[in-house]
Amino acid sequence: MTDWGGIKARAAAGDAKGAFAGLAALARHEDDFVTQRKYARLLDKLPKDGLELRPLKLALLASSTTDHFAEILRLWLALEGFDADIFQPSFGQTAQSVLDPASDLYAFAPDMVWFFGNWRDVRIEVAPGAGRAEVDAAIEAAVAEAAGLWHALQRHAPALIVHNNADIPAMDVFGHLEANVPWSRRSLLRRYNLALADALPPGVSLFDLEHVSSCWGKDRWTDSRYWYHSKHAFAFDAAGTLAFQFARLAGAAKGLAKKCLVLDLDNTLWGGVIGDDGMDGIKLGNGAAGEAFADFQDYARELKERGVILAVCSKNEDANAREPFEHHPAMRLRLDDIAVFRANWNNKADNIREIAETLNIGLDSVVFVDDNPAERSLVRDFLPMVTVPELPEDPALYAAALHRERLFETLSFSSEDRVRNDYYRANASRSELRHAYADLGEFQRSLTMVAAVGAIDSFHLPRAAQLINKSNQFHLTTTRYGDAAIKAMLEDPAWQGRHFSLKDRFGDNGLIAVVLLHRQGGDALVDTWVMSCRVLGRGMEEFIANDLVQTARAMGCRHLIGRYIPSKKNKLVAGLYPRLGFTLVEDRDGETVWRLDLDDAPPLTTFIARG
């Protein structure tokens, strides 16, 4: 039941999981504050034990009143998969909390810290007509004030830091002249926002409050009555949208953002049915509908270029389905943009399951877009872990409907993101080749693989942190570290960081694995081991284990210690350590500790050469 009465009835009957699922289906971030608060209060009454929420300790450091907002934020973080514990210092105590190492903030030990400021906190004061040098100095000082808090926090806490940029107010005194001169408040805040982004160190990310306020509507964003009465910095009804977008950002930081967009074809990427209407009959590129379909393809291609995997799932003859990609002049997407192409008459739930298996990603990383409500319903019923957004009837609104869900949020972008789709497309070719070999070793040998290995340096640090925070399936300990935390670890000689890249005859897979080793006495603890699932089944685990043995010996250790901490998503690696020759030494409710004696650790067989 997704009606409010049914959700309440489930909650009253003790069905917390059912009530939570209903709440997730019913809640919309555009709902007004009263409705949002009603949802939040119901959530507070539900026992969290059966909801499988990941704990998150969030410090909300605000210069304004955020008590009511924190309720709504906790709701949307729960809907994103987090059981959030939110710390708020006393009103007006942000700087004091950050600068005092003995403050309650550090005793709380947050995973994330959100500097929740607004434009009033940006101290840029220049007189009308001020010169360029004075304006530049004022902006530099304001950015330095924010950066000082970041650096102070990073010295005492390994938390991910999120900082609001300035929400530029709608009211001004110079009208459109504000955009013409560098000394106006609007121009100063615009330049401040750009300078703030330029100053970001590793481990700090901006929350684009200016963008959120613009999308909400500048004239509605603030209500002066609430500011003067109780120091609420934004309209109450904007709380859901603001909390929803931060929850998506937090989800991306913890590896919960979606990875793959699976697209239907007929009436989704073009108008009409290619098998019936033919190339000349589909709507694409010309006319209102044709332009809308072309623009939706542009949006999908832009997602691909920033690292989202694209796949096709269509009920069609394969040759007919491919024809527009190969020959239609108005197609924005080409076959090279598609990692996996499935056009057949099988049901779409089975095809999507096969696509996920081919890509070696979880079904909960998949978003499926289809114009047909019956197909959407079927996939929701058979694959409830797949995200299936509702599409409006008008194709002109497709891109906006997908964008509204913020499913592909990210905190970083690397050179490997740019070519990720190519990695997965090559991986699909490898998967097809695998079926031609009866023997796994022969298949691995045929790939002519070469791995590059090295210590994690400043160049590889951003990608290493990204992989640690995005990996869920091949992640033995579920640890999450930002750039700053990893950098601090590796400055300690007791820590070693290793990165691994892999090439084969199909191409370069890029950086695909990261390990953090911590020397503890005579042992080397595998604190973190993550690997991209796209290289599973090729002997990379054995290659990495061999390297870890050599590294641990060089650290002067006698044993290599591995831990496995089970999660909802990492059952894939539950048996990794015994397969690699480790011996079980402890088992506490599924959390296991394994040991390998380095004196008795022969090299494991692998067909990967060291480059």
Side-chain angles (χ1 to χ4, degrees):
M1 297 180 212
T2 57
D3 62 285
W4 180 239
I7 293 169
K8 288 176 65 179
R10 287 190 170 186
D15 181 9
K17 198 167 185 178
F20 184 75
L23 196 58
L26 181 65
R28 296 289 179 269
H29 63 82
E30 305 94 340
D31 292 337
D32 61 40
F33 178 75
V34 173
T35 304
Q36 299 269 352
R37 201 173 188 196
K38 178 175 67 175
Y39 297 156
R41 289 182 170 179
L42 178 67
L43 175 69
D44 286 343
K45 296 177 182 177
L46 296 179
K48 304 298 191 301
D49 294 346
L51 300 184
E52 298 182 328
L53 300 179
R54 179 186 298 181
L56 176 69
K57 299 180 76 174
L58 171 65
L60 183 60
L61 308 184
S63 60
S64 56
T65 303
T66 53
D67 292 344
H68 296 311
F69 172 62
E71 291 183 79
I72 311 303
L73 179 59
R74 194 175 291 106
L75 164 72
W76 283 100
L77 285 168
L79 296 179
E80 187 67 14
F82 297 106
D83 181 13
D85 183 8
I86 300 179
F87 168 83
Q88 299 180 83
S90 301
F91 187 84
Q93 296 295 304
T94 290
Q96 293 89 327
S97 296
V98 172
L99 298 175
D100 179 7
S103 70
D104 291 342
L105 168 65
Y106 296 113
F108 177 68
D111 304 309
M112 297 181 70
V113 176
W114 187 3
F115 284 98
F116 191 91
N118 62 84
W119 68 269
R120 299 171 184 85
D121 303 310
V122 183
R123 299 173 186 171
I124 306 179
E125 297 179 3
V126 299
R132 176 71 67 177
E134 184 180 351
V135 167
D136 289 347
I139 292 171
E140 184 179 344
V143 171
E145 183 177 345
L149 292 176
W150 304 337
H151 297 316
L153 183 61
Q154 287 184 325
R155 282 195 296 270
H156 304 296
L160 171 67
I161 299 172
V162 180
H163 192 107
N164 287 355
N165 64 9
D167 51 332
I168 301 170
M171 291 182 61
D172 55 59
V173 294
F174 284 98
H176 288 281
L177 181 63
E178 295 257 346
N180 291 258
V181 294
W183 43 260
S184 70
R185 181 170 66 187
R186 196 187 308 165
S187 291
L188 287 167
L189 290 174
R190 283 173 176 167
R191 292 187 59 199
Y192 166 81
N193 284 346
L194 293 174
L196 196 67
D198 285 341
L200 292 176
V204 182
S205 183
L206 288 185
F207 182 82
D208 198 347
L209 192 67
E210 166 58 9
H211 177 68
V212 176
S213 67
S214 298
C215 291
W216 181 260
K218 289 291 188 181
D219 289 335
R220 298 187 299 137
W221 174 246
T222 59
D223 189 323
S224 296
R225 296 170 299 175
Y226 290 117
W227 173 254
Y228 294 120
H229 176 70
S230 54
K231 293 298 180 285
H232 283 91
F234 55 90
F236 278 85
D237 284 347
T241 293
L242 190 55
F244 163 75
Q245 294 211 25
F246 180 81
R248 287 291 199 232
L249 183 148
K254 300 298 183 180
L256 299 181
K258 306 305 178 185
K259 297 178 180 178
C260 177
L261 177 61
V262 178
L263 297 158
D264 173 50
L265 297 180
D266 294 330
N267 292 310
T268 299
L269 291 190
W270 54 70
V273 178
I274 186 64
D276 295 336
D277 301 324
M279 277 263 290
D280 296 334
I282 62 173
K283 297 176 183 177
L284 184 61
N286 295 318
E291 289 181 12
F293 284 114
D295 283 349
F296 182 57
Q297 288 191 30
D298 277 336
Y299 180 71
R301 182 166 51 83
E302 289 171 3
L303 286 174
K304 172 250 178 183
E305 289 172 354
R306 53 134 291 195
V308 175
I309 311 162
L310 298 187
V312 160
C313 177
S314 172
K315 284 188 175 178
N316 252 310
E317 294 294 339
D318 185 77
N320 290 340
R322 291 174 184 266
E323 189 176 9
F325 289 87
E326 295 170 331
H327 302 298
H328 199 293
M331 279 292 290
R332 304 295 208 269
L333 292 171
R334 296 298 179 183
L335 288 177
D336 284 351
D337 296 315
I338 309 301
V340 180
F341 197 102
R342 290 289 181 270
N344 52 43
W345 299 105
N346 299 338
N347 79 73
K348 292 189 176 181
D350 287 344
N351 274 338
I352 291 170
R353 188 181 289 108
E354 183 182 322
I355 288 169
E357 290 173 355
T358 300
L359 295 172
N360 269 326
I361 61 174
L363 285 166
D364 56 355
S365 297
V366 174
V367 177
F368 175 56
V369 172
D370 194 315
D371 70 291
N372 189 328
E375 297 288 4
R376 295 197 299 265
S377 178
L378 179 143
V379 173
R380 287 193 190 106
D381 288 345
F382 285 93
L383 300 176
M385 61 292 289
V386 171
T387 299
V388 187
E390 279 300 304
L391 278 192
E393 293 185 6
D394 189 342
L397 303 177
Y398 283 3
L402 183 57
H403 178 70
R404 171 190 173 278
E405 301 298 327
R406 302 294 201 278
L407 294 164
F408 301 104
E409 185 65 63
T410 185
L411 276 75
S412 62
F413 180 74
S414 68
S415 58
E416 300 208 2
D417 291 325
R418 195 187 307 276
V419 293
R420 176 169 286 112
N421 204 77
D422 296 337
Y423 292 155
Y424 279 97
R425 188 159 50 84
N427 212 42
S429 299
R430 295 182 189 98
S431 179
E432 292 174 4
L433 177 67
R434 170 69 185 93
H435 297 303
Y437 287 86
D439 179 76
L440 178 60
E442 287 301 312
F443 163 68
Q444 292 176 348
R445 185 181 287 109
S446 76
L447 292 175
T448 59
M449 296 176 285
V450 178
V453 188
I456 298 173
D457 53 19
S458 58
F459 177 78
H460 293 96
L461 178 59
R463 169 59 181 155
Q466 183 187 53
L467 191 60
I468 287 172
N469 284 288
K470 284 189 173 183
S471 298
N472 290 304
Q473 295 184 88
F474 198 113
H475 196 327
L476 287 134
T477 51
T478 71
T479 48
R480 308 289 176 182
Y481 300 124
D483 299 44
I486 298 172
K487 182 174 182 292
M489 290 174 186
L490 298 182
E491 288 172 350
D492 183 338
W495 286 84
Q496 292 285 332
R498 307 289 286 169
H499 68 83
F500 302 83
S501 301
L502 183 65
K503 294 181 180 179
D504 61 26
R505 67 187 178 94
F506 286 98
D508 190 346
N509 290 275
L511 193 155
I512 48 81
V514 171
V515 177
L516 297 177
L517 280 178
H518 186 201
R519 188 179 70 243
Q520 297 179 345
D523 297 335
L525 172 69
V526 183
D527 175 88
T528 299
W529 182 354
V530 297
M531 191 173 81
S532 170
C533 289
R534 66 176 182 264
V535 298
L536 285 175
R538 296 190 224 165
M540 196 65 201
E541 303 96 308
E542 287 77 10
F543 180 93
I544 292 172
N546 289 340
D547 180 80
L548 295 184
V549 167
Q550 294 177 24
T551 303
R553 285 171 176 163
M555 295 168 70
C557 297
R558 298 187 304 274
H559 303 103
L560 194 58
I561 305 298
R563 293 182 302 151
Y564 170 67
I565 300 175
S567 72
K568 286 197 303 180
K569 296 186 177 183
N570 72 355
K571 294 181 177 64
L572 176 75
V573 292
L576 178 68
Y577 282 123
R579 180 161 66 82
L580 298 177
F582 285 66
T583 302
L584 180 67
V585 294
E586 186 177 335
D587 186 342
R588 293 186 179 180
D589 298 324
E591 292 189 13
T592 52
V593 178
W594 303 81
R595 183 172 61 207
L596 182 68
D597 189 332
L598 296 179
D599 291 333
D600 286 327
L604 299 173
T605 301
T606 178
F607 296 100
I608 301 173
R610 195 180 185 102

